């Protein structure tokens, strides 16, 4: 009897004291440094989302593969261990949506304008919709930039990388690209690249300058060539069940925060890459090989055949639609 009364008293007390509801936590994991286009946009999204939901949502950003490496983060999202990611578009095939590798085709875009014709047009929308049956919702595309090639030998011509072991992301298109150059592609998690370059496990790599510089890869690579031979960027994705289970007002505040963070990401991406290439140069640790348009054209003619080779993997119709959107010419 006494125990029962005590329990009732405890219950009355508990109800009388207003307890702040625990915030909804969104874990946002990524693999790059904070001072990159993706790293900065993730921080900006956090700021906006927390402000607009007045603390009802807490965004925990885990940069630099702190929480998960490339492959693990995809699994963690599907299992619900993290709620938000922004993997590079080269990393979607293991989810069963290999059409995203379209973005890896060498020389597919002449610049950001071509890229946006795809990411902000019907092709981009169609690709994101393909994620839904996998339990994933695509919220936005975030830009990064065009890739440079780095190595310890001068690389001006495609022949210069022949026989080199070059690290790539886990994309079959990138594998075909390196083979078209006579190089040996090595798939490796982003977090392992610096050490692999330092110890000579691989001879070189490709990445936009922002990734190269912030991972200090230029400190262990003697040459960086401005091949601009391909694009690397992101799709921001969430666990669909989690997202759709959010209260409508919260979800809409998060959506408007995402729209602004996307604009921010895309506004800073080019500038950040230009600055980081300049910083690599200023460091004096690696020499920038600034390729002329004529030199780039030689890379293009060596690599463009990869489009036809890999058309079936991407889907011929999707490829044609992309060409139409950008006005691509071989
Ligand atoms: C890479 O693995 O090189 C990139 O995808 C890393 C990133 O997220 O930009």
């Amino acid at each position: 009897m006494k125990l029962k009364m005590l329990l009732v008293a405890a219950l009355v007390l508990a109800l009388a004291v207003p307890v702040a509801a625990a915030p909804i936590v969104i874990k946002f994991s990524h693999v790059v440094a904070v001072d990159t286009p993706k790293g900065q946009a993730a921080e900006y999204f956090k700021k906006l989302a927390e402000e607009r939901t007045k603390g009802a949502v807490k965004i925990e950003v885990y940069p630099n593969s702190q929480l998960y490496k490339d492959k693990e983060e995809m699994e963690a999202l599907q299992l619900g261990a993290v709620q938000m990611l922004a993997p590079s578009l080269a990393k979607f095939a293991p989810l069963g949506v290999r059409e995203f590798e379209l973005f890896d085709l060498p020389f597919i875009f002449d610049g950001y304008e071509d890229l946006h014709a795809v990411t902000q047009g019907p092709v981009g929308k169609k690709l994101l919709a393909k994620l839904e049956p996998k339990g994933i919702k695509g919220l936005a595309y975030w830009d990064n930039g065009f890739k440079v090639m780095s190595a310890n030998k001068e690389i001006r011509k495609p022949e210069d990388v022949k026989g080199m072991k070059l690290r790539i992301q886990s994309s079959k298109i990138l594998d075909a690209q390196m083979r078209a150059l006579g190089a040996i592609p090595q798939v490796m998690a982003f977090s392992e690249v610096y050490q692999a370059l330092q110890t000579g496990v691989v001879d070189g790599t490709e990445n936009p300058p922002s990734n190269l510089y912030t991972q200090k890869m230029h400190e262990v690579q003697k040459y960086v060539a401005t091949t601009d031979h391909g694009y690397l960027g992101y799709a921001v994705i969430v666990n669909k069940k989690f997202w759709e289970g959010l209260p409508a007002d919260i979800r809409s505040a998060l959506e408007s925060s995402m729209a602004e963070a996307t604009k921010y990401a895309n506004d800073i991406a080019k500038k950040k890459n230009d600055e980081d290439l300049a910083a690599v140069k200023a460091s004096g640790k690696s020499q920038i090989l600034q390729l002329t348009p004529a030199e780039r054209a030689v890379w293009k003619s060596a690599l463009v055949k990869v489009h036809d080779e890999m058309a079936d993997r991407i889907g011929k119709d999707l490829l044609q639609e992309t060409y139409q959107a950008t006005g691509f010419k071989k």
Side-chain angles (χ1 to χ4, degrees), residues 121-139:
V123 173
K125 211 180 242 169
K126 211 182 276 184
L127 285 172
L128 293 184
K130 285 184 187 291
L131 295 169
E132 304 232 352
K134 314 285 173 193
I136 290 173
K137 188 157 179 61
L139 298 181

Side-chain angles (χ1 to χ4, degrees), residues 10-81:
L11 191 68
V12 168
L13 212 73
L15 289 174
V17 182
V19 184
I24 298 166
V25 175
I26 296 185
K27 291 193 171 140
F28 184 166
S29 172
H30 69 80
V31 299
V32 295
V34 175
D35 196 15
T36 54
K38 174 163 67 178
Q40 290 293 295
E43 296 301 324
Y44 192 61
F45 171 70
K46 169 185 166 69
K47 178 180 172 300
L48 294 179
E50 290 182 351
E51 273 168 20
R52 287 180 190 178
T53 58
K54 303 188 174 54
V57 172
K58 190 168 182 312
I59 312 282
E60 292 177 357
V61 183
Y62 298 92
N64 255 325
S65 312
Q66 249 169 43
L67 206 54
Y68 296 109
K69 295 202 269 185
D70 294 326
K71 211 159 107 289
E72 303 158 1
E73 68 174 20
M74 286 295 201
E75 287 157 9
L77 186 78
Q78 287 182 300
L79 294 170

Side-chain angles (χ1 to χ4, degrees), residues 6 61 79 128 168 186 211 231 255 266 286 305 324:
L6 268 173
V61 183
L79 294 170
L128 293 184
I168 55 164
Q186 304 267 308
N211 277 346
Y231 172 72
E255 277 165 0
N266 300 352
S286 47
K305 63 178 182 210
Q324 263 159 28

